[in-house]
């Protein structure tokens, strides 16, 4: 099975936000920060829900609502710009024994045994080489071969996998 793809920055940015906001701690901190920001803004317009001016609450809330998303955006932009392989045309060839990845400037062949994990998200298929590095394939690139890819992966019980049915 052969899949061809090319990542654009908008796709990469969406993926980085998705992966960041999937973490329970980031979700929890964002909810708490948003509530603190709302409370401090209510204090500013006259609802005295705090005994003293909520400076800390305002700063923490502003940090979670503005600084964290801006940081994710900036990191994604810098990473995408500095890693040329992210925006190359990439061809993935999946066989029973190998994953062959061919870009404009590289070729990699890996056995399935070297694959750490495969994670399927709503719009993405992530093939992890280790705990932190993944090959990212938009699911739309699979077309009608997505079911065949899932069967191929499910036939590899030694790979950690989280696939949809």
């Amino acid at each position: 099975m052969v899949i061809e793809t090319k990542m654009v920055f908008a796709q990469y940015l969406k993926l980085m936000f998705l992966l960041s906001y999937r973490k329970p701690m980031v979700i929890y901190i964002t909810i708490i920060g948003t509530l603190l920001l709302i409370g401090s803004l209510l204090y500013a317009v006259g609802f005295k829900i705090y005994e003293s001016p909520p400076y800390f609450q305002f700063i923490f809330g502003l940090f979670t609502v503005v600084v964290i998303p801006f940081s994710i955006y900036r990191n994604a932009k810098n990473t995408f710009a500095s890693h040329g392989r992210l925006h190359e045309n990439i061809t993935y060839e999946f066989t029973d024994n190998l994953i062959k990845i061919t870009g404009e400037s590289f070729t990699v062949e890996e056995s399935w045994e070297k694959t750490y994990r495969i994670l399927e998200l709503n719009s993405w298929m992530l093939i992890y080489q280790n705990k932190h590095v993944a090959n990212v394939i938009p699911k739309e690139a699979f077309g009608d071969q997505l079911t065949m890819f899932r069967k191929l992966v499910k036939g590899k019980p030694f790979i950690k996998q989280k696939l949809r049915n």
Side-chain angles (χ1 to χ4, degrees):
M1 154 183 3
V2 177
I3 307 296
E4 293 184 12
T5 185
K6 180 177 173 72
M7 180 82 65
V8 294
F9 177 69
Q11 289 178 314
Y12 184 71
L13 182 62
K14 283 182 185 179
L15 178 63
M16 291 300 102
F17 272 103
L18 176 69
L19 292 175
S20 296
Y21 282 98
R22 282 176 51 96
K23 298 174 183 171
M25 187 58 80
V26 174
I27 294 169
Y28 177 72
I29 289 172
T30 301
I31 290 170
I32 297 298
T34 302
L35 293 174
L36 290 174
L37 182 62
I38 290 169
S40 64
L41 293 175
L42 288 174
Y43 182 90
V45 296
F47 293 100
K48 304 298 180 192
I49 56 178
Y50 298 108
E51 291 180 19
S52 61
Y55 299 120
F56 170 78
Q57 292 85 343
F58 179 75
I59 291 169
F60 184 78
L62 199 61
F63 177 80
T64 61
V65 173
V66 175
V67 175
I68 291 175
F70 177 74
S71 174
I72 294 168
Y73 172 82
R74 193 186 78 237
N75 288 338
K77 187 174 183 178
N78 290 341
T79 301
F80 193 79
S82 66
H83 289 78
R85 291 182 178 178
L86 282 176
H87 39 84
E88 289 184 11
N89 289 316
I90 299 176
T91 303
Y92 296 89
E93 184 177 342
F94 302 103
T95 65
D96 286 335
N97 302 320
L98 291 172
I99 301 172
K100 183 176 180 182
I101 307 167
T102 307
E104 296 167 7
S105 64
F106 68 96
T107 300
V108 176
E109 284 189 11
E110 294 181 350
S111 67
W112 283 103
E113 288 80 19
K114 300 286 183 183
T115 302
Y116 175 74
R117 172 177 148 191
I118 297 181
L119 175 64
E120 181 178 354
L121 303 174
N122 286 339
S123 301
W124 303 94
M125 195 66 72
L126 282 70
I127 303 171
Y128 283 87
Q129 298 168 5
N130 59 44
K131 192 174 183 177
H132 302 288
V133 177
N135 294 95
V136 179
I137 306 172
K139 281 173 53 175
E140 63 191 23
F142 284 94
D144 58 353
Q145 298 182 70
L146 186 58
T147 306
M148 190 166 52
F149 178 76
R150 286 183 185 130
K151 285 181 186 177
L152 180 65
V153 171
K154 287 180 182 178
K156 313 287 184 207
F158 49 85
I159 298 175
K160 294 178 188 177
Q161 47 189 279
K162 188 173 180 184
L163 301 174
R164 298 173 184 222
N165 293 328

